[in-house]
Amino acid sequence: MISRCFLCDLGDNVHKLQRMEELIGDRRFVEDERSLIKTPYDVQANNQEHDSPTSTHQIGSVQHGSPCFVYTLAFFSALGGFLFGYDTGVVSGAMLLLKREMNLSSLWQELLVSITVGAAAVSSLAGGYLNGLYGRRICILLASFIFSAGGIILSVAHNKEVLLCGRLTVGLGIGIASMTVPVYIAEVSPSELRGQLVTINTLFITGGQFVASVVDGVFSYLPHDGWRYMLGLSVVPAALQFLGFLFLPESPRWLLQKGDTQNARLVLSRIRGGVNVDEEYERIRSSIEEEKIDAGEGPVLWRILTFAPTRRALIVGCGLQMFQQLSGINTVMYYSATILQMSGVQDDQMAIWLAAATAFTNFLFTLVGVWLVDRVGRRKLTLGSILGTAVSLMVLAAGFLLSAQASPPVTFHPNDPSLHNSTCITYGLCESCMLNPDCGFCYGKNGTVVIESSCMPVDAASTEAAAAGRCSNGTQESLGVFWAYNYCPTSYSWIVLLGLILYLAFFAPGMGPMPWTVNSEIYPLWARSTGNACSAGVNWICNVLVSLTFLHLAQCLTYYGAFFLYSSLALLGFVFVVGCLPETKGLRLEEIEPLFGRQLFDIFFLWHCSKHL
Ligand SMILES: O[C@H]1[C@H](O)[C@@H](O)[C@H](O)[C@@H](O)[C@H]1O
């Protein structure tokens, strides 16, 4: 029997293709697709041949096997995302212990944090070449091997040089994993689950960041060697991924591209749960044949840049990754502890646990993204997310602005000769005092009013106390003495807190995952590795840029200035997304390239596409 719903789906497909024909104007492409649409009778016959109610389900005219194996593949590959999140997240807590134990200067602390991100930038670019040559599976195996080696080096390190070497190694793994995993998941997924499954990788990234913050919290109670556990624990998921991938298959698309037709068909049929994959196999094969004609001669990057549709796809992919980082996610995550301290949380342990709550919020809202991506589509989700992100950044900035305007003045100037050369004592307001990383604000309270406040140099060994005077033992509530490093006491902190929560709620479902998801699907197969390598490289380079410049930016523009700047960049990103990002929801990977056949900023076309696809 032909189900009514199935007839609707079929009608829908014909309608989609008619619309695509009108919109894209590529008749050859549409005709090919039309030959792939089966009449209800064809499908019925096919159903009888392969139907097994428990192992297959029907989507439009295409049948897919049980997605169980695809979920297993997605899980093991997304462990790469987990390690990306864990290794970038765990370092802040580990650093608190390390700087005491190894007596690290601020230069060394900065080096240990940024070498990982820098190495990730380099290795993600190199990952494109490795992916094209050795395939996705070998690259994932390589990344998990590097992660394991890095984790072991870090956990046994006995000096800062070895630590640096371990952090560099881990960064190399992160870069390769960050560009390979989304591509692999996109290539093995059926089109209707692809968005969700690739977005799961970002869920694992934010999950890794959350687990890292909990591990930081737990091991912060172990001041000696706690950091070894924090940094070394990453070996467990890395080894699990390595073992898993020894038994998991290569991407069938990559195999086909390399001419390994037999294995490609075998893997495809295994991934689809044993259903007939002739149609899908043929489609991939013929699109690879067509691509060979499109692709031209010369190095891949050159071919991408000289062929208009791939050049446009690359601009969209890199632009999305750039705006993801320029809207300040990593400074917001990194400074969440400071933001929370401004809201009145003075205890350090408490600040660590509240930072874990921030990471959890990021994780939770990424889950919303996984749920929404194949329902509302990439374009709407990204648009809503980036607009909300820009508005939340304005709320954050407004909170900082009001706090700065109500900044308590410095009223007490201690007469300690050792302070005479310090710039800290020259500041007249808490705002300017806290923006200097060498100074902190020491004050007393009368009810909620700040009294007897001074700007003091910070202790060289710990930012938790002043170098001299009343605050040399840090905050001592019983004595009515408070030490504020990096923030000022304010009654507007709730606005900042509101901005932080809104920011995560808007950023995490869209701008967090969509740049990775969209990049995994917008390039034709011949350009996919290189396109993803370039866009992942842009992500990491912008990540380094934003994190390294934040403190200087805050000193030049103040906190509110910096957040207003991020907000304007997010608004610019909104305009970019409106004008450049087509909807790719539900399309097969082979159907996406024609969407870039039009000029970017052809808004009418994009609007039509998202309405009808
Ligand atoms: O998509 C991820 C995610 O949003 C993370 O929270 C962030 O730290 C990364 O930089 C980003 O690439």
Side-chain angles (χ1 to χ4, degrees):
M1 285 258 280
I2 304 158
S3 76
R4 255 189 88 221
C5 151
F6 178 61
L7 281 174
C8 302
D9 283 340
L10 187 79
D12 228 39
N13 266 345
V14 175
H15 176 70
K16 269 185 197 173
L17 290 174
Q18 279 169 350
R19 290 303 306 160
M20 282 180 78
E21 187 175 1
E22 280 166 39
L23 299 169
I24 298 159
D26 183 347
R27 273 187 171 275
R28 187 197 47 180
F29 162 77
V30 176
E31 263 149 26
D32 282 356
E33 284 302 304
R34 212 169 251 158
S35 68
L36 295 177
I37 291 191
K38 296 188 172 173
T39 67
Y41 300 102
D42 291 337
V43 177
Q44 191 190 18
N46 211 6
N47 280 352
Q48 278 161 0
E49 206 178 313
H50 305 285
D51 211 17
S52 135
T54 50
S55 69
T56 60
H57 63 275
Q58 210 176 276
I59 291 130
S61 63
V62 186
Q63 280 191 44
H64 292 289
S66 151
C68 208
F69 190 50
V70 165
Y71 281 118
T72 311
L73 292 182
F75 171 81
F76 275 96
S77 3
L79 282 176
F82 180 88
L83 287 159
F84 159 175
Y86 186 88
D87 281 319
T88 47
V90 81
V91 69
S92 54
M95 201 58 77
L96 290 177
L97 306 181
L98 270 171
K99 66 181 179 196
R100 266 185 232 135
E101 200 167 317
M102 295 210 178
N103 207 3
L104 297 176
S105 64
S106 37
L107 176 71
W108 266 93
Q109 290 176 41
E110 267 176 18
L111 258 178
L112 286 171
V113 175
S114 40
I115 195 145
T116 306
V117 186
V122 175
S123 71
S124 60
L125 289 170
Y129 176 72
L130 297 176
N131 251 274
L133 203 62
Y134 301 112
R136 328 306 188 206
R137 179 173 166 268
I138 296 290
C139 283
I140 295 180
L141 277 169
L142 179 70
S144 48
F145 178 77
I146 297 178
F147 275 126
S148 312
I152 294 172
I153 299 176
L154 286 167
S155 59
V156 300
H158 51 276
N159 60 31
K160 49 185 190 257
E161 288 78 13
V162 179
L163 269 179
L164 194 67
C165 175
R167 292 288 297 161
L168 178 113
T169 312
V170 158
L172 294 177
I174 296 180
I176 299 178
S178 71
M179 66 117 332
T180 312
V181 170
V183 171
Y184 179 79
I185 301 181
E187 289 187 347
V188 295
S189 307
S191 49
E192 72 284 356
L193 287 180
R194 192 182 59 240
Q196 209 171 65
L197 291 176
V198 183
T199 308
I200 283 182
N201 183 48
T202 313
L203 185 72
F204 272 51
I205 300 178
T206 53
Q209 289 171 330
F210 168 58
V211 172
S213 58
V214 172
V215 169
D216 278 355
V218 170
F219 288 103
S220 64
Y221 296 99
L222 207 78
H224 187 65
D225 280 353
W227 59 268
R228 290 191 193 277
Y229 296 100
M230 295 176 185
L231 298 172
L233 269 177
S234 64
V235 176
V236 177
L240 184 67
Q241 188 186 43
F242 187 84
L243 288 178
F245 260 86
L246 287 179
F247 303 99
L248 294 175
E250 179 51 89
S251 146
R253 284 180 163 86
W254 183 85
L255 287 170
L256 243 172
Q257 193 195 27
K258 293 291 162 190
D260 190 349
T261 48
Q262 238 178 357
N263 267 326
R265 190 188 279 274
L266 230 107
V267 170
L268 194 62
S269 130
R270 197 175 149 207
I271 296 174
R272 299 286 176 260
V275 297
N276 191 338
V277 289
D278 290 354
E279 179 193 316
E280 192 175 0
Y281 176 85
E282 263 317 303
R283 189 170 9 89
I284 302 175
R285 198 194 55 75
S286 60
S287 88
I288 291 176
E289 290 302 312
E290 269 180 39
E291 279 180 8
K292 279 188 189 146
I293 305 166
D294 284 346
E297 295 288 313
V300 184
L301 187 59
W302 173 251
R303 285 188 268 150
I304 292 181
L305 292 174
T306 49
F307 182 53
T310 47
R311 182 175 58 242
R312 291 182 196 123
L314 188 69
I315 294 174
V316 173
C318 292
L320 282 176
Q321 292 287 23
M322 181 181 83
F323 284 114
Q324 180 197 67
Q325 291 301 318
L326 294 189
S327 45
I329 175 66
N330 290 311
T331 50
V332 171
M333 291 282 281
Y334 186 63
Y335 283 88
S336 64
T338 306
I339 292 170
L340 294 163
Q341 275 179 326
M342 284 182 60
S343 328
V345 182
Q346 251 123 43
D347 177 35
D348 254 16
Q349 289 293 343
M350 187 71 169
I352 290 186
W353 285 112
L354 283 171
T358 312
F360 182 70
T361 315
N362 194 15
F363 170 75
L364 202 69
F365 283 101
T366 312
L367 204 64
V368 176
V370 173
W371 185 71
L372 284 178
V373 61
D374 282 325
R375 288 182 168 78
V376 303
R378 288 55 159 160
R379 185 173 154 85
K380 278 190 200 143
L381 189 55
T382 313
L383 279 173
S385 166
I386 198 162
L387 193 62
T389 299
V391 174
S392 324
L393 282 165
M394 275 181 214
V395 175
L396 257 175
F400 280 115
L401 175 65
L402 289 171
S403 308
Q405 279 176 346
S407 175
V410 173
T411 53
F412 175 61
H413 297 275
N415 203 4
D416 185 334
S418 68
L419 300 177
H420 283 166
N421 288 334
S422 164
T423 36
C424 301
I425 57 164
T426 59
Y427 297 120
L429 286 174
C430 174
E431 175 73 5
S432 29
C433 170
M434 68 101 176
L435 284 172
N436 185 336
D438 298 329
C439 312
F441 194 65
C442 181
Y443 64 99
K445 270 203 273 188
N446 185 1
T448 56
V449 182
V450 172
I451 52 165
E452 293 181 341
S453 51
S454 48
C455 183
M456 301 292 287
V458 68
D459 189 351
S462 156
T463 55
E464 283 158 40
R470 293 172 298 165
C471 286
S472 53
N473 287 323
T475 295
Q476 286 180 287
E477 266 192 90
S478 53
L479 301 179
V481 176
F482 298 87
W483 171 247
Y485 178 72
N486 223 349
Y487 68 94
C488 289
T490 166
S491 50
Y492 292 107
S493 50
W494 67 272
I495 303 182
V496 178
L497 196 62
L498 177 75
L500 175 71
I501 295 169
L502 282 178
Y503 179 92
L504 292 172
F506 279 109
F507 180 91
M511 275 314 279
M514 284 314 107
W516 298 108
T517 305
V518 168
N519 268 288
S520 72
E521 52 190 21
I522 53 177
Y523 309 101
L525 188 54
W526 63 268
R528 197 167 294 147
S529 310
T530 308
N532 273 276
C534 292
S535 59
V538 167
N539 179 294
W540 288 110
I541 292 167
C542 294
N543 188 334
V544 183
L545 259 175
V546 173
S547 1
L548 282 187
T549 52
F550 180 72
L551 276 183
H552 302 279
L553 204 66
Q555 269 174 24
C556 297
L557 304 176
T558 71
Y559 274 172
Y560 65 83
F563 283 109
F564 272 129
L565 180 70
Y566 293 145
S567 169
S568 329
L569 291 171
L571 281 178
L572 207 66
F574 176 77
V575 175
F576 176 80
V577 177
V578 169
C580 300
L581 181 65
E583 185 52 83
T584 48
K585 178 185 97 178
L587 293 178
R588 297 174 188 127
L589 286 179
E590 288 69 33
E591 293 170 348
I592 292 173
E593 188 194 316
L595 297 181
F596 292 91
R598 297 282 183 111
Q599 291 286 347
L600 296 177
F601 286 95
D602 189 343
I603 298 173
F604 184 67
F605 166 72
L606 291 171
W607 182 73
H608 261 293
C609 267
S610 40
K611 252 187 102 193
H612 294 284
L613 286 178

